[in-house]
């Protein structure tokens, strides 16, 4: 993007002044901790005794560990379902809400509720909903004459957990899209109507292209969230001594860092995760150049 | 005529879909509300209406003199407000520069900024803690809100996306009138970005309000800490007696301020829609 | 080149850490020592600690104690962050099995000189509770209260079925038989909705440690180098649990239990469970009548697990003497009485445990059972790497309890992995 306002003379000062807080945060805080993480990933550190140089030992251990592959696969599968789910459902909700109907503020609040409620409390509720013998969901299935499903058993757990995570993220996506939708000038729709465009055509011809900046944002943020999601996953699939039947990478980082005295290994996993998401982000940024329409 | 019938049908369909969705969105929440008014002995009953309606879970929350809820609320509110102000200010300035101004290294810096979103929180806790500890700020609320004043990738990214959709003609017009960069930022972009600013305000406030781990390590114990830390204490009770009712009551209390903030911020969405949306 | 850069950053991190220590704890002002004391717990415990501190400060006007109580999960994260940044609290609570881990990494203060200066201080404490804290160099921590595991039973269910309550002298065969009798489909929909027994199989403390001991096995060798849960004796216990779940159906499997918040006993769907004194305040809210009985006996006799919450002093403290004095105060009759009134745990001080403060507390059940159980109680092991070892077993076996894996092969694999953890932490 070569376009943009050229700062004139003294405005250069203003430009850097306005960027200063962010640049400070970027170089001082964010990169400080990234570098510290990188450095620690080459050490053995139990948090209690001084770190010891370990070379690539943590990375080698990571490649050798079959559990690491499992958790990576889980993370990827989770992301592959979660991201489209959140983006599509929340876009749909936002579009319906943006039709300017009466009483929509009630719906807005209703759809935002899951996003504000604490995960600990809602995970408990979901556990009751998903219950094998006593859950509401199976009660509904059975009253429809269908076979009950063991929602949180190993084969189904990933899907059940994806549903809860999407449920919890719709509110946030809806807000992003509602804000995005307000930028579309009304005249565009009026003009399209003159040309005889119907509801769905209007959506695909006007709304969708013009909301690509928000879709891009929401896709990228959802991907990052997906790679870092673990609270609902952990609480719903907890088993053993704090293990999970759907272990994801961040969960494994958490356990290595705080429970298994392996902060160096956790740092290596964090770097691994960062590299993977960074690669994905590179892909997104490339797609942005091709498909995202800015004014 | 036919068109009006069609619109009516579409409206009805919209309401229907939203209503079905809303049931799914709200039921777990209603369950939470219902459990918070149940006796512990009834916590697994399948009825939404508590068999015996009780306020004791809320009383239990307030039964401990050392956990002063008004003070915890105040602490949380101050930290969340400062965080929101810091984010709105610094993210909007940076986003303006990234979206509107042309300068060398812009895309590179922006990509770097996005990269910071990728570092998992659990591994940055200790490096950050060490820095604040070195600065002598541990034990105060400063480490909780100060970072909000040095920007943030999420907020900058969010606002940049929005700023990019604002018509460039407006800038050119302002330029012709002799407006400087800060003036364009303040007078053109900020007023037009109200829906996005509202979204960021909601997210920042909510993020700070729900944060558990950082207040836990940075601030001393109750009552000089935040609401989440105070409420988390009741979780220990839950893990060894399986009593969820008090926890649900606590969760309910803690989200009320967020709902108020949300109601307040909603106005900007409506305003935004009224300005340029599809209102018929 | 790259390596130097990383070393540089590493050194920087360590320097920062060192500086953090210098700037962290507030310097003493006006001669008064300020001690930071951290524990896990709930609001009721926070309140009791504040009272104990008030009593202590009255007797020690030169010392100020700041109490910080966090929930269990957060507590360990907070503690490790503070230790990593070299700004640990002066005194902190510890779970006995984790004690050796911290002790072996050199962050704890040896209390020997202070104990030597206070001869007889430990005489009134139950000796078995002290065992976990012993090291060749002395004590680096002391217990503050203990937990023995007993059987909790739902009186209403026993009464309805006309079955006599469990008594001292009953056996694992009796347990299985009673559990089978109490397993029912009460509403006739073809599904079991009352189970005879439930116990959490994740941690050794609640049932599997006890079961293995009672069948003549052990969980780990005395030198903590070999995992013994795969011996023929131990397998008898595992097989019993397995058969109660999957043959008798008198014990809900892990997925079934999860839908009752993980505690079918409290939910009123399991007639018996095994758990410690900590459950009593929560269970007091149950909708049914219940009481406690001692653990059943196996072929090798009766066995239960004893574990304790204890205190340790950070090696980095500026106030070792004052910190020790506070511990001493908590172990005094006054401090122990306060803790006993809380009702979560059993006092380690014999005279208080056998007094009305403990035996006649608010929730009226047979508290004596918890004390009598000490006669056949064995210590929950404590060694470096305990948490990972225990997780490898609990996690590894979990697929058996959900019915996804076969018992014997899983056990073989788990023993192998557990031994690897032990080797790593040698």
């Amino acid at each position: 993007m070569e376009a943009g306002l050229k700062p004139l003379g003294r405005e250069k000062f203003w430009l850097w002044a306005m960027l200063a807080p962010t640049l400070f945060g970027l170089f001082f805080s964010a990169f400080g901790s990234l570098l510290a993480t990188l450095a620690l990933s080459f050490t053995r550190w139990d948090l209690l005794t001084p770190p010891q140089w370990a070379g690539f030992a943590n990375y080698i251990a990571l490649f050798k560990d079959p559990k690491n592959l499992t958790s990576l696969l889980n993370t990827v599968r989770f992301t592959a379902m979660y991201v489209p789910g959140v983006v599509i459902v929340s876009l749909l909700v936002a579009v319906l809400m943006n039709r300017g109907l009466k009483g929509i503020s009630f719906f807005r609040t209703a759809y935002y509720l899951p996003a504000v409620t604490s995960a600990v409390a809602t995970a408990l509720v979901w556990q009751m909903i998903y219950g094998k013998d006593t859950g509401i969901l199976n009660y509904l299935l059975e009253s429809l004459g269908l076979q009950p499903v063991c929602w949180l058993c190993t084969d189904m757990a990933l899907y059940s957990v994806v549903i809860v995570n999407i449920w919890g993220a719709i509110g946030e996506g809806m807000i992003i899209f509602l804000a995005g939708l307000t930028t579309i000038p009304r005249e565009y729709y009026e003009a399209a109507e003159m040309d005889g465009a119907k509801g769905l055509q209007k959506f695909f011809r006007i709304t969708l292209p013009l909301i690509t900046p928000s879709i891009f944002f929401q896709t990228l943020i959802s991907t990052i969230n997906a790679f870092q999601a673990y609270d609902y996953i952990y609480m719903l699939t907890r088993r053993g001594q704090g293990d999970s039947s759907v272990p994801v990478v961040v969960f494994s980082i958490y356990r290595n860092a705080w429970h298994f005295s392996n902060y160096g290994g956790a740092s290596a996993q964090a770097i691994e995760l960062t590299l993977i998401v960074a690669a994905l982000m590179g892909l997104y940024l490339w797609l942005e150049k091709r498909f995202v329409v800015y004014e | 005529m036919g068109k009006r019938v069609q619109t009516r049908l579409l409206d009805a369909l919209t309401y229907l879909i939203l209503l079905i969705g809303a049931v799914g969105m709200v039921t777990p929440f209603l369950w939470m509300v219902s459990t918070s008014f149940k006796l512990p002995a009834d916590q697994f009953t399948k009825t939404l209406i508590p068999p015996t309606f009780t306020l004791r879970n809320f009383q239990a929350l307030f039964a401990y003199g050392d956990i002063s809820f008004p003070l915890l609320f105040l602490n949380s509110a101050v930290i969340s407000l400062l965080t929101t102000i810091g984010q709105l200010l610094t993210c909007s300035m940076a986003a303006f520069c990234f979206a509107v101004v042309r300068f060398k290294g812009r895309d590179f810096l922006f990509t770097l900024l996005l990269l910071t979103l990728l570092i998992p929180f659990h591994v940055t806790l200790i490096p950050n803690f060490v820095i604040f500890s070195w600065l002598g700020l541990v034990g105060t609320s400063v480490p909780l809100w100060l970072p909000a004043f040095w920007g943030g990738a999420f907020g900058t990214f969010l606002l940049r996306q929005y700023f990019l959709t604002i018509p460039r003609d407006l800038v050119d017009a302002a330029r012709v009138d002799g407006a400087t960069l800060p003036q364009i930022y303040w007078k053109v972009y900020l007023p037009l970005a109200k829906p996005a600013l509202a979204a960021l305000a909601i997210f920042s406030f909510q993020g700070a309000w729900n944060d558990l781990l950082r207040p836990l390590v940075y601030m001393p114990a109750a009552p000089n800490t935040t609401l989440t830390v105070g409420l988390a204490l009741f979780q220990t009770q839950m893990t060894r007696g399986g009593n969820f009712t008090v926890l649900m009551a606590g969760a309910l209390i803690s989200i009320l301020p967020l709902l108020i903030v949300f109601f307040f911020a909603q106005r900007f969405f409506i305003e935004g829609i009224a300005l340029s949306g599809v209102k018929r | 080149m790259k390596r130097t850069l990383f070393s540089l950053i590493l050194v920087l991190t360590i320097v920062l850490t060192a500086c953090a220590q210098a700037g962290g704890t507030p310097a003493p002002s006006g001669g008064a020592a300020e001690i930071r004391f951290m524990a896990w717990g709930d609001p009721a415990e926070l309140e009791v600690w504040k009272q104990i501190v008030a009593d202590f400060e009255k007797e020690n006007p030169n010392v100020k104690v700041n109490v910080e109580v966090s929930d269990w999960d957060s507590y360990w994260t907070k503690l490790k962050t503070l230790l990593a940044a070299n700004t640990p609290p002066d005194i902190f609570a510890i779970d006995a099995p984790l004690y050796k881990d911290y002790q072996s990494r050199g962050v704890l203060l040896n209390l020997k000189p202070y104990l030597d200066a206070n001869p007889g201080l430990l005489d009134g404490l139950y000796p078995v509770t002290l065992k976990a804290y012993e090291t060749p160099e002395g004590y680096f921590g002391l217990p503050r209260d203990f937990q023995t595991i007993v059987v909790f039973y739902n009186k209403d269910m026993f009464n309805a079925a006309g079955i006599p309550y469990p008594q001292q002298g009953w056996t694992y065969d009796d347990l299985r038989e009673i559990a089978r009798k109490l397993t029912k489909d009460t509403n006739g929909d073809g599904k079991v909705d009352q189970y005879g027994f439930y116990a959490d199989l994740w941690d050794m403390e609640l049932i599997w440690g006890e079961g293995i001991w009672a069948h003549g096995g052990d969980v780990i060798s005395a030198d903590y180098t070999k995992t013994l849960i795969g011996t023929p004796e131990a397998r008898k216990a595992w097989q019993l649990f397995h058969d109660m779940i999957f043959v008798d159906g008198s014990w809900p499997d892990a997925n079934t239990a999860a839908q009752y918040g993980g505690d079918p006993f409290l939910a009123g769907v399991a007639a018996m469970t095994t758990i410690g004194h900590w459950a009593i305040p929560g269970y007091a809210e149950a909708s049914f009548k219940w009481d406690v009985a001692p653990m059943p006996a196996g072929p090798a006799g009766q066995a239960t697990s004893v574990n304790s919450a204890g205190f340790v002093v950070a090696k980095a403290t500026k106030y070792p003497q004052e910190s020790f004095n506070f511990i001493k105060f908590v172990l005094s009759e006054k401090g122990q009485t306060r803790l006993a009134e809380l009702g979560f745990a059993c006092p380690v001080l014999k005279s208080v445990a056998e007094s009305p403060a403990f035996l006649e507390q608010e929730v009226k059940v047979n508290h004596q059972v918890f004390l009598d159980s000490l006669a056949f109680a064995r210590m929950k092991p404590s060694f470096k790497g305990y948490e990972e070892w225990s997780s490898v077993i609990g996690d590894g076996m979990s697929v058996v309890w959900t019915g996804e894996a076969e018992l014997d092969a899983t056990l073989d694999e788990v023993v192998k992995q557990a031994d690897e953890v032990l080797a790593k932490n040698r």
Side-chain angles (χ1 to χ4, degrees):
Chain A
M1 278 170 295
E2 294 307 312
L5 200 60
K6 222 181 141 103
L8 309 166
R10 282 187 53 204
E11 284 183 345
K12 276 237 164 85
F13 165 78
W14 285 112
L15 168 70
W16 293 107
M18 287 167 90
L19 277 173
T22 299
L23 294 181
F24 175 79
L26 184 63
F27 291 109
F28 174 74
S29 169
F31 279 102
S33 45
L34 184 62
L35 285 181
T37 305
L38 192 64
L40 287 168
S41 76
F42 291 96
T43 68
R44 242 184 298 279
W45 193 26
D46 60 4
L47 292 176
L48 305 182
T49 46
Q52 279 169 354
W53 182 259
F56 284 91
N58 291 322
Y59 290 94
I60 294 167
L62 212 53
F63 278 108
K64 279 191 186 157
D65 185 4
K67 281 186 191 156
N68 181 49
L69 190 68
T70 314
S71 58
L72 259 181
L73 271 178
N74 277 328
T75 302
V76 170
R77 287 167 69 202
F78 177 85
T79 307
M81 290 186 273
Y82 169 86
V83 175
V86 172
V87 173
I88 293 170
V89 177
S90 45
L91 177 60
L92 181 78
V93 169
V95 167
L96 290 178
M97 283 188 183
N98 200 42
R99 293 192 64 235
L101 298 179
K102 274 192 191 128
I104 225 67
S105 67
F106 159 75
F107 285 111
R108 255 200 303 260
T109 312
Y111 279 76
Y112 196 64
L113 270 177
V116 288
T117 320
S118 94
V120 178
T122 37
L124 280 170
V125 176
W126 276 100
Q127 210 149 38
M128 294 183 211
I129 292 175
Y130 278 143
K132 192 165 71 114
D133 312 307
T134 60
I136 319 168
L137 216 51
N138 275 347
Y139 176 76
L140 287 176
L141 284 183
E142 281 178 287
S143 49
L144 293 172
L146 297 167
Q147 280 295 312
V149 173
C150 186
W151 296 98
L152 293 172
C153 292
T154 311
D155 342 331
M156 275 303 289
L158 179 66
Y159 307 102
S160 304
V161 155
V162 168
I163 292 173
V164 178
N165 276 278
I166 292 178
W167 171 84
I170 290 173
E172 203 178 293
M174 171 192 86
I175 289 186
I176 302 282
F177 287 126
L178 276 176
L181 286 169
T182 59
T183 62
I184 303 176
R186 208 183 345 172
E187 301 83 59
Y188 284 21
Y189 290 102
E190 284 162 4
E193 275 166 34
M194 299 269 237
D195 294 344
K198 298 261 162 55
L200 270 183
Q201 284 175 322
K202 278 192 284 185
F203 174 77
F204 282 108
R205 278 202 217 145
I206 301 168
T207 315
L208 205 55
L210 288 180
I211 201 148
T212 42
S214 299
I215 295 177
F216 171 64
F217 174 84
Q218 187 58 30
T219 309
L220 206 153
I221 290 294
S222 299
T223 307
I224 290 167
N225 287 343
F227 272 84
Q228 303 192 353
Y230 91 104
D231 48 359
Y232 279 129
I233 304 180
Y234 172 54
M235 280 179 272
L236 287 170
T237 63
R238 191 176 191 155
R239 69 172 187 193
Q241 288 276 72
D243 196 8
S244 157
S245 56
V246 187
V248 288
V249 180
V250 182
F251 171 72
S252 160
I253 291 178
Y254 164 77
R255 283 190 104 195
N256 267 332
W258 303 109
H259 292 288
F260 299 155
S261 303
N262 184 10
Y263 201 84
S267 301
Q269 280 177 299
I271 296 295
E272 172 202 53
L273 192 68
T274 305
L275 289 177
I276 293 172
V277 194
L280 257 180
M281 213 167 75
L283 177 72
Y284 285 168
L285 289 173
W286 178 76
L287 288 173
E288 182 199 16
K289 292 226 161 91
R290 305 197 48 169
F291 294 110
V292 178
V293 185
Y294 294 106
E295 174 59 29
Chain B
M1 191 64 193
K3 198 174 167 209
R4 258 176 74 191
V5 173
Q6 207 187 7
T7 314
R8 282 274 156 79
L9 265 174
L10 206 57
D11 287 358
L13 196 65
T14 305
Y15 277 125
L16 188 70
I17 296 172
L18 285 179
L19 197 67
I20 293 170
V23 172
M25 297 305 275
V26 173
T27 307
F29 176 77
L30 288 182
W31 197 299
M32 199 184 101
V33 175
S34 147
T35 309
S36 70
F37 289 107
K38 281 179 182 174
L39 287 171
D42 295 330
Q43 61 184 327
F44 294 109
T45 50
K46 263 193 267 182
T47 48
L48 205 52
I49 314 268
T52 315
F53 182 87
T54 177
L55 284 175
R56 43 159 293 170
N57 300 314
F58 293 91
Q59 286 159 352
L61 282 176
F62 291 91
Y64 302 100
D66 287 306
I67 301 175
S68 154
F69 274 96
L71 194 58
L72 294 178
F73 259 107
L74 187 71
N75 289 339
S76 282
V78 169
I79 292 166
S80 307
L81 269 178
L82 283 171
T83 303
T84 310
I85 294 169
Q87 285 286 288
L88 287 180
L89 200 69
T90 54
C91 291
S92 65
M93 290 194 304
F96 171 76
C97 296
F98 285 125
V100 181
V101 188
R102 182 165 15 141
F103 61 95
K104 223 185 229 163
R106 180 181 69 177
D107 289 0
F108 174 70
L109 276 180
F110 184 68
T111 313
L112 274 189
L113 187 66
L114 285 187
L115 272 177
T116 64
L117 280 171
L118 311 182
I119 316 165
F121 168 74
H122 277 291
V123 289
T124 56
L125 183 66
I126 288 184
N128 285 332
F129 185 83
V130 169
I131 291 169
F132 280 113
S133 176
W134 179 56
L135 294 172
L137 291 170
V138 170
T140 69
S141 66
V142 177
L144 300 177
W145 54 261
L146 187 63
F149 283 86
W150 57 64
F154 177 85
T156 308
F157 184 27
L158 172 69
L159 295 178
R160 169 196 179 255
Q161 292 305 93
Y162 198 88
F163 286 165
L164 281 173
T165 62
I166 291 173
R168 192 53 48 87
D169 326 349
L170 292 172
V171 181
D172 297 338
R175 234 355 178 199
V176 171
D177 292 346
T180 60
L181 271 191
Q183 284 169 336
I184 296 173
Y185 157 73
W186 192 256
K187 293 203 173 129
V188 178
Y189 276 79
L190 280 193
L192 282 175
K194 271 185 192 167
L197 291 171
L200 180 59
I202 292 170
F203 296 148
S204 307
F205 192 92
Q206 189 184 329
W209 185 271
N210 283 337
D211 195 1
L212 171 65
L213 212 45
R214 291 191 323 130
L216 184 92
V217 296
Y218 285 115
M219 293 181 84
N224 292 314
T225 185
T226 62
L227 191 63
T228 42
V229 177
L231 285 172
L233 278 182
F234 290 90
Q235 271 181 50
T236 300
Q237 208 169 40
M238 181 191 91
T239 49
R240 54 176 174 208
N243 182 357
F244 307 134
T245 53
V246 176
L247 184 88
M248 296 290 181
L252 189 61
I253 287 185
S254 73
I255 67 170
L256 290 179
L258 293 178
L259 286 180
I260 292 167
V261 169
F262 184 71
F263 266 118
F264 187 72
Q266 267 207 69
R267 276 192 18 217
F268 291 104
F269 290 104
I270 301 162
E271 201 173 297
I273 293 161
L275 271 176
S276 62
V278 289
K279 200 171 163 196
R280 286 159 303 169
Chain C
M1 178 61 206
K2 265 180 195 159
R3 211 185 130 143
T4 9
L5 178 68
F6 291 135
S7 316
L8 202 72
I9 294 163
L10 193 63
V11 168
L12 198 73
T13 315
I14 296 165
V15 169
L16 283 181
T17 308
C19 294
Q21 189 186 16
T25 21
S29 57
E34 211 171 317
I35 298 178
R36 185 174 183 192
F37 166 50
M38 250 172 68
W40 67 81
D42 74 355
E45 278 167 278
L46 174 62
E47 203 131 289
V48 165
W49 284 118
K50 290 249 162 119
Q51 287 167 6
I52 292 174
V53 163
D55 293 344
F56 173 75
E57 285 176 348
K58 220 176 284 163
E59 287 179 23
N60 300 270
N62 284 330
V63 187
K64 191 175 173 337
V65 182
N66 299 315
V67 197
E68 294 178 28
V69 172
S70 328
D71 65 283
W72 171 267
D73 282 336
S74 313
Y75 174 76
W76 301 102
T77 311
K78 180 173 182 177
L79 179 63
K80 284 195 169 164
T81 307
L82 295 176
L83 280 163
N86 255 327
T87 55
D90 299 278
I91 313 172
F92 54 92
I94 194 97
D95 192 30
L98 304 178
Y99 157 79
K100 287 270 174 63
D101 201 291
Y102 286 80
Q103 186 264 332
S104 65
R105 294 177 207 271
V107 290
L108 307 183
L109 184 77
N110 192 344
L111 302 179
K112 193 172 191 303
Y114 307 94
L115 284 168
D116 288 347
N118 288 272
L121 181 68
L122 305 179
D123 290 352
L125 309 185
Y126 287 106
V128 62
T129 61
L130 284 167
K131 258 175 74 183
Y133 301 87
E134 279 168 13
T135 74
E137 298 107 276
Y139 290 100
F140 290 74
L142 291 172
R144 67 160 203 241
D145 51 37
F146 74 88
Q147 300 283 358
T148 42
I149 304 302
V150 305
V151 175
F152 285 61
Y153 59 92
N154 183 322
K155 279 175 150 181
D156 295 353
M157 288 185 187
F158 275 80
N159 291 345
I163 296 172
Y165 303 144
Q167 292 288 328
Q168 167 65 24
W170 70 318
T171 65
Y172 274 92
D173 291 338
D174 298 334
L175 171 78
R176 184 170 179 182
E177 191 51 38
I178 296 173
R180 202 153 32 191
K181 281 189 194 148
L182 285 169
T183 300
K184 284 175 181 159
D185 171 11
T186 47
N187 58 9
D189 65 351
K191 279 189 204 161
V192 172
D193 31 32
Q194 178 182 313
Y195 295 89
F197 183 78
Y198 176 75
D200 207 300
L201 278 156
W202 309 142
D203 190 89
M204 65 168 286
E205 185 171 5
L206 297 182
I207 185 72
W208 64 255
E210 286 84 348
I212 289 176
W213 286 327
H215 285 78
D218 205 346
V219 295
I220 192 166
S221 63
D223 58 356
Y224 306 120
T225 57
K226 279 201 93 54
T227 309
L228 300 179
I229 62 168
T231 59
E233 294 82 14
R235 277 180 207 257
K236 280 184 207 148
W238 291 118
Q239 194 64 48
L240 172 72
F241 308 146
H242 180 271
D243 291 350
M244 284 179 74
I245 298 173
F246 297 107
V247 178
D248 301 355
S250 59
W251 177 339
D253 67 28
N255 286 322
T256 309
Q259 63 193 351
Y260 300 108
D263 194 341
F265 180 77
L266 178 66
V269 293
M272 294 179 279
T273 193
T274 51
I275 203 163
H277 203 278
W278 69 82
I280 288 187
Y283 284 5
E285 311 276 359
S287 54
F288 51 86
K289 288 198 176 58
W290 53 272
D291 208 336
V292 293
M295 292 296 284
Q302 215 172 354
T304 191
S305 145
V306 59
N307 186 27
S308 67
F311 301 107
V312 293
V313 177
K315 202 177 198 171
T317 181
K318 286 183 188 138
Y319 306 107
Q321 184 63 53
E322 288 84 353
S323 299
F324 180 79
N325 290 348
F326 180 70
I327 291 184
K328 194 171 126 189
F329 184 81
V330 179
L331 290 176
S332 72
E333 208 143 305
K334 214 167 172 180
Q336 287 280 298
T337 307
R338 288 265 196 218
L339 276 178
E341 282 162 0
L342 193 56
F344 280 120
C346 312
V348 280
L349 191 64
K350 233 173 176 168
S351 58
V352 174
E354 287 164 1
S355 76
F358 176 70
L359 294 176
E360 283 156 38
Q361 54 188 280
E362 213 181 313
V363 184
K364 302 279 175 247
V365 291
N366 193 354
H367 297 280
Q368 185 70 41
V369 172
F370 293 92
L371 306 182
D372 293 346
S373 295
L374 281 176
F376 49 86
R378 302 184 47 173
M379 191 187 89
K380 206 177 163 186
S382 176
F383 54 91
K384 188 179 176 194
Y386 171 83
E387 197 170 5
E388 193 172 359
W389 175 82
S390 151
S391 298
V392 161
I393 297 176
D395 297 351
M397 293 300 287
S398 67
V399 279
V400 175
W401 313 128
T402 53
E404 290 163 72
E406 194 257 334
L407 175 64
D408 282 309
T410 313
L411 205 48
D412 293 341
E413 176 59 28
V414 165
V415 170
K416 211 181 95 207
Q417 287 177 11
D419 281 346
E420 277 166 22
V421 174
L422 293 179
K424 199 171 77 184
N425 283 288
R426 197 73 55 77

